[in-house]
Amino acid sequence: DGEPQGTAGQPMLNVFQRESVTNVCCVVTRYFGGVLLGAGGLTRAYTKGAKDALDAVGISTMSLWTLWDVPCTYPLFERVKLEITACGGVVRDTAYGADIRLRAAFPAGGAEQFVPRLTELSAGGLAMEAAGEEFLPGPRESANGT
């Protein structure tokens, strides 16, 4: 529609390249400006939109996590969930029956740290079973270094 070429896509891409961010999609919707802003104004508007979006969501790195089925009794349920979290894991699913079975995901080293805690909590009565691996995002980090 007569807008200057190279004022939106490339400046937005540069924001992500400077932060070494890959495999993302960013959409910036501009309601005002066009030729009234000029090429410099458009470039600044799109760059700021992309940077504001990145700062708002942060950056997360994908890594390989191990999945485990963790049996649990009802009295130990809340404590087991707390211990999973304390070891850097997350509860992905919970199945309720006569007892509870949690599907937990742990980053590298987290499962090894959790095993003795589960043994201690259950007095050796519970043992978790390997259930595979999955690529998952790690904790979010601020894009602006804070």
Side-chain angles (χ1 to χ4, degrees):
D1 292 336
E3 291 191 14
Q5 186 173 4
T7 57
Q10 190 62 49
M12 290 169 52
L13 177 62
N14 292 341
V15 169
F16 294 102
Q17 287 176 333
R18 277 193 300 270
E19 300 290 337
S20 300
V21 174
T22 59
N23 299 324
V24 299
C25 177
C26 180
V27 177
V28 174
T29 303
R30 182 184 46 75
Y31 291 101
F32 174 79
V35 293
L36 296 176
L37 286 177
L42 284 169
T43 300
R44 284 188 297 277
Y46 283 109
T47 299
K48 183 174 179 352
K51 182 67 174 145
D52 288 349
L54 184 58
D55 288 345
V57 298
I59 298 172
S60 182
T61 302
M62 298 291 287
S63 60
L64 189 62
W65 292 51
T66 55
L67 301 176
W68 298 86
D69 285 333
V70 182
C72 177
T73 62
Y74 282 91
L76 293 177
F77 179 55
E78 291 300 325
R79 183 66 194 268
V80 168
K81 286 195 321 185
L82 287 172
E83 292 294 338
I84 290 171
T85 303
C87 294
V90 293
V91 175
R92 303 275 298 175
D93 192 24
T94 307
Y96 299 94
D99 283 320
I100 301 170
R101 182 166 290 275
L102 303 170
R103 171 68 53 96
F106 291 97
E112 291 80 7
Q113 188 181 5
F114 176 70
V115 169
R117 291 179 171 187
L118 180 63
T119 302
E120 183 180 330
L121 267 177
S122 67
L126 300 175
M128 60 188 202
E129 301 169 14
E133 298 176 325
E134 187 175 3
F135 277 95
L136 298 171
R140 286 188 181 160
E141 302 167 8
S142 174
N144 58 16
T146 58

